[in-house]
Structures are given as structure tokens and as C-alpha cells.
């Protein structure tokens, strides 16, 4: 019985080792490479020597295998409406035994120099929050006491791009932090009753968002009163 158990453990260990040594790599583009929106990008994947992957795909599209270089390739167009870090480079591979692996790459998408920002728009442009006490349910604090701002940029090529993230040079400023604060990623949080504005800027363009903070009140039954 002991010898059979040892054999089972040994075989299981070999199986785990064989799985852990499967290797497939995205060799191009490199992690963090900079590309331009709208340009063609060739994705190259290379397996370890001797590995036999029967299907390698990017999204729903099969990648082409070159036996001379032992590489899989596909050429895609970088989304025209994207700007900033892009982590949707997902490659899925499977072998003849049904084992599979998923790879994910990340690049930074820049805009060509001839495409410039012409204006910005924000949503919402009017916010009502409630000054929820810190000892309340965290879900209620998030639901009634905070709000995320969304910012879009209108560019010279006629494309509207989302530029909410600080990595896209958008900044947020509260005109009265005693009433509301705003994070560098555009999350507004109520602090006390009152009215103020949030200034959203990107380059030479700015927009103002009015924010009103109301008291957070529960009735005798514990229901929230608005």
C-alpha cells in the first residue's frame, strides 16, 4: 500500500512539474512599450523549445505560426479612441491534451503629435452628496457620500477619448476641502454640509462641477431620509 501511495505521489509531482514548466512568452511588444493610437502593432509570441501548442490566439483570431522562427504572430490596429495604459493584449494558447495558458501584455498608447486636445467635457456637471457619518455602513458611505467624475477629451481628429485618469494629465481641485475633497483620480467625497465646486483641468482646458453636500438623516425606523 505504501509503495502504491509513493508511486501516486511521484506521478502527481511529475504532473505538477510538467505543468509548471510550460512556457509561452510575449516577446513583442515589450511590457510598457509606447505605441501610437491607430497604428498597426505586431504581437509576437514564442514558446519554449520542444513545446507543441496546437492553438494560439489573440482574442477570437488565430495567430500565424512560423516554423522557421518558432514564433506565433498577429498584426492588429491599436484602438484609435484609446490613450494611456492598455492592458488588453491577451493571448490564449492550448496544447493537444487540452492544457491551456493565458498571457497578458501591457503597453502605453500615445497620440501622434498632430492630434491635439481641443476641449474637455465632464460628467456629471452637478453632484449632490450626503455627509454620511464615519460610523455608518461603509456601503452607505460609498453610495451616498462619494461620486466618481468621468472626463472626456475632444481631439482634433474628431475622436472623443476618455481622459479621467491622472496619467492622462487630468487634475482635480476642490475649491473648499472642508466641504468636499477630490482624489487625483476624480473621486469626490463629502466632508460637511455646504456647496462648492470642483475644478477639472487638462492642459489649457478646464470645467467646473458644482457639488452640494446635504445632511445624512435616518428616521425613527432607521430609514434614510432625503
Amino acid at each position: 500500500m505504501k509503495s502504491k501511495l509513493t508511486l501516486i505521489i511521484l506521478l502527481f509531482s511529475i504532473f505538477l512539474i510538467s505543468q509548471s514548466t510550460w512556457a509561452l512568452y510575449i516577446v513583442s511588444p515589450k511590457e510598457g512599450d509606447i505605441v501610437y493610437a491607430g497604428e498597426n502593432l505586431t504581437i509576437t509570441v514564442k514558446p519554449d523549445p520542444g513545446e507543441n501548442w496546437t492553438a494560439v490566439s489573440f482574442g477570437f483570431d488565430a495567430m500565424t505560426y512560423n516554423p522557421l522562427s518558432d514564433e506565433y504572430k498577429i498584426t492588429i490596429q491599436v484602438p484609435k479612441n484609446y490613450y494611456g495604459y492598455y492592458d488588453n493584449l491577451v493571448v490564449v494558447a492550448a496544447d493537444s491534451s487540452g492544457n491551456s495558458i493565458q498571457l497578458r501584455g501591457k503597453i502605453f498608447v500615445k497620440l501622434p503629435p498632430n492630434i491635439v486636445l481641443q476641449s474637455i467635457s465632464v460628467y456629471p456637471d452637478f453632484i449632490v452628496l450626503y455627509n454620511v457619518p464615519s460610523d455608518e455602513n461603509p456601503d452607505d458611505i460609498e453610495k451616498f457620500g462619494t461620486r466618481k467624475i468621468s472626463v472626456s477629451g475632444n481631439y482634433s481628429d474628431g475622436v472623443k477619448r476618455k481622459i479621467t485618469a491622472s496619467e492622462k494629465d487630468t487634475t482635480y481641485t476642490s475649491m473648499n476641502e472642508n466641504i468636499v475633497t477630490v482624489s487625483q483620480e476624480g473621486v469626490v467625497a463629502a466632508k460637511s454640509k455646504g456647496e462648492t465646486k470642483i475644478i477639472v483641468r487638462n492642459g489649457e482646458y478646464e470645467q467646473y462641477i458644482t457639488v452640494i453636500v446635504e445632511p445624512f438623516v435616518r428616521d425613527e425606523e432607521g430609514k434614510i431620509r432625503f
Side-chain angles (χ1 to χ4, degrees), residues 159-178:
V159 176
K160 178 179 284 189
R161 296 176 173 90
K162 193 169 183 179
I163 56 171
T164 303
S166 60
E167 70 186 30
K168 299 174 184 179
D169 300 323
T170 298
T171 63
Y172 305 87
T173 305
S174 170
M175 295 183 67
N176 189 334
E177 292 193 339
N178 292 322

Side-chain angles (χ1 to χ4, degrees), residues 103-122:
L103 309 174
R104 184 179 291 272
K106 184 177 182 181
I107 57 176
F108 188 84
V109 180
K110 289 186 68 175
L111 299 179
N114 62 321
I115 297 178
V116 296
L117 183 65
Q118 293 186 323
S119 65
I120 66 172
S121 55
V122 296

Side-chain angles (χ1 to χ4, degrees), residues 6 10 18 29 41 45 58 76-78 93 110 118 142 150 154 159 163 169-170 174 178 194 205 219:
T6 303
L10 177 61
S18 67
L41 174 68
V45 174
F58 177 81
I76 65 168
Q77 185 182 53
V78 179
K110 289 186 68 175
Q118 293 186 323
E142 181 177 358
S150 178
N154 304 300
V159 176
I163 56 171
D169 300 323
T170 298
S174 170
N178 292 322
Y205 303 101
D219 61 22

